[in-house]
Each structure stands twice: as structure tokens, then as C-alpha cells.
């Protein structure tokens, strides 16, 4: 654990960074996990000045095609909403049937691809309110037509 925390600090200092920004898909979870692990083992948590949540950025940037893709691939929650987890985001971006194994290295590799995808889309805007309304309408219509058949 100390090696991990030392590595974070070393990367910050090696980059001569005055500030540290940490990015992750659901960053709140990662920060809490690192802090609680450090605390449990009696280590000092590295100073992280800023955070960037890839999940929030993905949800804000997701295009209509993602919603269509979740319907086609059945990547839906129990309530029928599109899955917005890192696994689904990465599978959509890479156009693969990706299934996450939940290893740290694989998580980082997937999150880098998500971050690069977001960087490419940073100057585009998506009216997700309209898309979500459309998506709910499509789900309702599909459910109604399936019941009637």
C-alpha cells in the first residue's frame, strides 16, 4: 500500500506539478477507497487538488447512438435504463463485446480510452435531456407493442 501511495506522490513530484488532478470513472468511489485503505494501514493519503469524474463527463457527452446501441446490445439495467458503467462505455467506444475483469490495469486502460474519447468530443454538445425523454418514449412504445402482441 505504501508503495502505491509513494508512487502517486512520486508521479506528482516528478511532473513538477504544483497541483494534482486525479481522474477516474466514478471518482468519488476511488478517492474514498484510496483514503480508507491508506487510513486503515496508517499511511498518509496523497494530496489530490482536483478530481475529474469520467462517469459524469460520459453521461453528459453520450450521443444518441449510445442509447440505440444499449437497446440493440441489451446493455440495460433491471429497470430498462441504459447501463452507464465503465464497462458499457468502453464497449461502446471500442465497438467490442468488452466484459470487465475488474483488475486495476484493465480498469486504467479502459478509462484512458474513455478519457481520450471524451477529449475528442469536448467541443460537441449533446442535449441529453431530449435524448433521455426520447429513450423513455421508445421504451414505453416497445413495452406497449410487446404486451399487445
Amino acid at each position: 500500500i505504501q508503495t502505491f501511495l509513494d508512487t502517486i506522490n512520486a508521479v506528482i513530484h516528478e511532473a513538477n506539478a504544483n497541483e494534482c488532478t486525479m481522474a477516474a470513472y466514478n471518482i468519488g468511489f476511488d478517492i474514498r477507497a484510496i483514503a480508507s485503505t491508506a487510513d486503515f494501514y496508517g499511511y498518509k493519503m496523497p494530496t489530490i487538488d482536483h478530481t475529474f469524474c469520467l462517469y459524469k463527463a460520459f453521461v453528459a457527452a453520450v450521443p444518441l447512438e449510445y442509447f440505440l446501441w444499449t437497446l440493440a446490445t441489451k446493455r440495460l439495467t433491471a429497470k430498462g435504463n441504459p447501463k452507464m458503467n465503465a464497462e458499457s462505455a468502453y464497449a461502446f467506444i471500442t465497438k467490442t463485446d468488452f466484459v470487465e475483469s475488474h483488475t486495476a490495469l484493465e480498469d486504467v486502460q479502459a478509462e484512458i480510452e474513455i478519457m481520450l474519447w471524451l477529449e475528442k468530443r469536448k467541443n460537441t454538445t449533446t442535449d441529453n435531456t431530449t435524448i433521455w425523454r426520447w429513450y423513455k418514449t421508445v421504451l414505453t412504445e416497445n413495452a406497449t407493442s410487446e404486451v399487445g402482441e
Side-chain angles (χ1 to χ4, degrees), residues 36 57 91 133 137-138:
S36 111
R133 277 193 217 116
T137 302
V138 168

Side-chain angles (χ1 to χ4, degrees), residues 12 23 27 33 40 50 67 83 93 99-100 120 123 135:
I12 294 167
I27 188 70
F40 180 81
H50 306 284
F67 291 85
K83 287 188 176 178
I93 290 165
V99 176
E100 194 171 15
K120 288 178 190 170
N123 293 324
Y135 188 82

Side-chain angles (χ1 to χ4, degrees), residues 8 32 43 48 51 56 92-93 111 117 122-123 141 148:
I8 292 174
R32 286 189 307 275
Y43 298 116
I48 298 168
T51 60
K56 288 181 182 178
F92 172 75
I93 290 165
E111 291 177 19
W117 182 84
K122 74 178 179 182
N123 293 324
E141 289 171 0

Side-chain angles (χ1 to χ4, degrees), residues 31-117:
I31 294 291
R32 286 189 307 275
I34 293 169
S36 111
T37 303
D39 185 56
F40 180 81
Y41 288 102
Y43 298 116
K44 182 180 181 300
M45 171 72 175
T47 302
I48 298 168
D49 302 297
H50 306 284
T51 60
F52 182 77
C53 185
L54 295 171
Y55 165 77
K56 288 181 182 178
F58 183 78
V59 169
V62 68
L64 175 60
E65 292 79 20
Y66 182 80
F67 291 85
L68 297 171
W69 176 82
T70 60
L71 284 171
T73 59
K74 302 202 182 328
R75 283 191 183 250
L76 306 170
T77 67
K79 292 185 178 185
N81 293 317
K83 287 188 176 178
M84 293 290 189
N85 56 14
E87 177 179 273
S88 295
Y90 180 77
F92 172 75
I93 290 165
T94 59
K95 302 191 181 345
T96 63
D97 293 330
F98 178 72
V99 176
E100 194 171 15
S101 63
H102 297 285
T103 63
L105 180 58
E106 187 178 72
D107 285 355
V108 168
Q109 291 168 330
E111 291 177 19
I112 287 169
E113 289 300 319
I114 294 167
M115 186 180 295
L116 293 171
W117 182 84

Side-chain angles (χ1 to χ4, degrees), residues 121-140:
R121 293 187 53 82
K122 74 178 179 182
N123 293 324
T124 62
T125 57
T126 303
D127 181 0
N128 284 332
T129 305
T130 302
I131 291 174
W132 277 99
R133 277 193 217 116
W134 170 86
Y135 188 82
K136 290 295 186 184
T137 302
V138 168
L139 285 179
T140 304

